[in-house]
Amino acid sequence: MNSSKGIPVVTIDGPAGSGKGTIAQRVARKLGWKILDSGALYRLVALAAQRQGVELDSNNKSLADIAKNLDVIFTPCHEGGVDICLEGDDVTRAVRTEECGNAASKVATNEAVRSALLERQRNFQEYPGLVADGRDMGTVVFPDAKVKIYLTASPEIRAKRRLNQLKEQGINANLPGLVRDIEARDARDSGRKVAPLVPADDAIIIDTDNLSIDEVTNKVLDRVKSVYG
Ligand code: DC
């Protein structure tokens, strides 16, 4: 199936904590484009499954039904973020926990879940353009995107960033635990059979270890300008 609707798409992929979400928000705000936080969809499937007592198993067919019927509303809020409502319940904070991220990573190994979410993700395309962040945006969901970015950073740096983010949200965590979680998540996300975490052949790889948020944002914006003018 052709992913393109002729609408400009920038894909930003990378491992957990590489800064995709922050960079995607900044880039989308600067360009005035829409945003797709695909990780939130996997987190929501995990959350809905846990609430219904459904096992987060890579072969569980019920997970695909949950993904297909996900009753979710994203409402843009201040500073480029979104409020998320699942079955009428505000889950904006619940989906951001590390526990939910790890559960999402398990759900994401389920092939039927991934295909159930494919069209939903492509439907986020809207003029004037879309910035999509995740693991397989450039490889599977929007293979025709003209600007593909892949962000990397060492596990230690990513864990530190995550710790700060969680602190800002008033969520407790410890650094060694976060490094372990991140490494386990990398192994699961990169090692799975379907849509593993890999840079697209035509992606620009940016190592963000020694770059500020502004520097990374500007690199992405420069690339967008060079393609779309
Ligand atoms: O980006 P995130 O941390 O919110 O993603 C949570 C998990 O969801 C991640 O560990 C793997 C999965 N995921 C995925 O498999 N494909 C995507 N496009 C986005 C997320």
Side-chain angles (χ1 to χ4, degrees):
M1 193 200 304
N2 189 354
S3 69
S4 170
K5 300 181 177 181
I7 298 171
V9 176
V10 172
T11 61
I12 305 184
D13 289 305
S18 57
K20 302 177 307 285
T22 308
I23 300 301
Q25 273 186 19
R26 300 265 179 128
V27 169
R29 208 183 321 154
K30 272 268 179 209
L31 295 170
W33 289 10
K34 304 287 169 211
I35 192 156
L36 163 61
D37 168 6
S38 63
L41 293 174
Y42 289 93
R43 286 169 182 259
L44 285 160
V45 174
L47 197 62
Q50 284 172 327
R51 287 181 170 189
Q52 293 173 33
V54 171
E55 289 275 324
L56 308 181
D57 189 278
S58 59
N59 298 314
N60 191 342
K61 297 263 186 308
S62 324
L63 283 177
D65 292 332
I66 293 178
K68 261 181 228 143
N69 300 314
L70 209 54
D71 171 13
V72 59
I73 299 173
F74 293 95
T75 313
C77 65
H78 58 282
E79 290 171 9
V82 282
D83 284 338
I84 307 176
C85 208
L86 177 67
E87 281 145 18
D89 197 9
D90 183 353
V91 294
T92 313
R93 281 172 67 83
V95 293
R96 288 293 143 222
T97 63
E98 285 309 288
E99 191 202 5
C100 191
N102 292 328
S105 167
K106 289 181 190 158
V107 158
T109 61
N110 185 307
E111 192 166 3
V113 167
R114 303 201 75 87
S115 26
L117 291 180
L118 200 56
E119 259 328 278
R120 196 187 274 264
Q121 294 174 89
R122 288 182 177 157
N123 286 339
F124 274 77
Q125 288 172 95
E126 212 178 284
Y127 282 107
L130 178 71
V131 180
D133 91 70
R135 304 290 186 292
D136 60 344
M137 297 296 97
T139 49
V140 175
V141 182
F142 301 111
D144 305 329
K146 291 202 175 68
V147 179
K148 296 183 185 177
I149 308 291
Y150 187 90
L151 301 182
T152 62
S154 65
E156 290 72 23
I157 295 272
R158 290 188 277 134
K160 274 188 196 148
R161 289 180 188 158
R162 239 327 123 90
L163 187 68
N164 290 338
Q165 260 179 5
L166 291 170
K167 267 191 193 155
E168 277 167 23
Q169 296 164 27
I171 300 170
N172 276 333
N174 69 78
L175 193 59
L178 282 175
V179 174
R180 269 198 308 277
D181 280 356
I182 276 194
E183 286 175 339
R185 196 116 78 89
D186 283 358
R188 203 183 299 117
D189 292 350
S190 307
R192 69 182 174 224
K193 285 200 200 87
V194 271
L197 169 67
V198 281
D201 289 341
D202 48 351
I204 292 172
I205 298 178
I206 305 178
D207 182 342
T208 69
D209 263 3
N210 298 307
L211 296 176
S212 68
I213 291 172
D214 280 347
E215 285 170 324
V216 181
T217 306
N218 287 334
K219 274 181 188 281
V220 178
L221 288 171
D222 285 348
R223 179 69 191 153
V224 175
K225 265 185 220 131
S226 74
V227 171
Y228 290 108

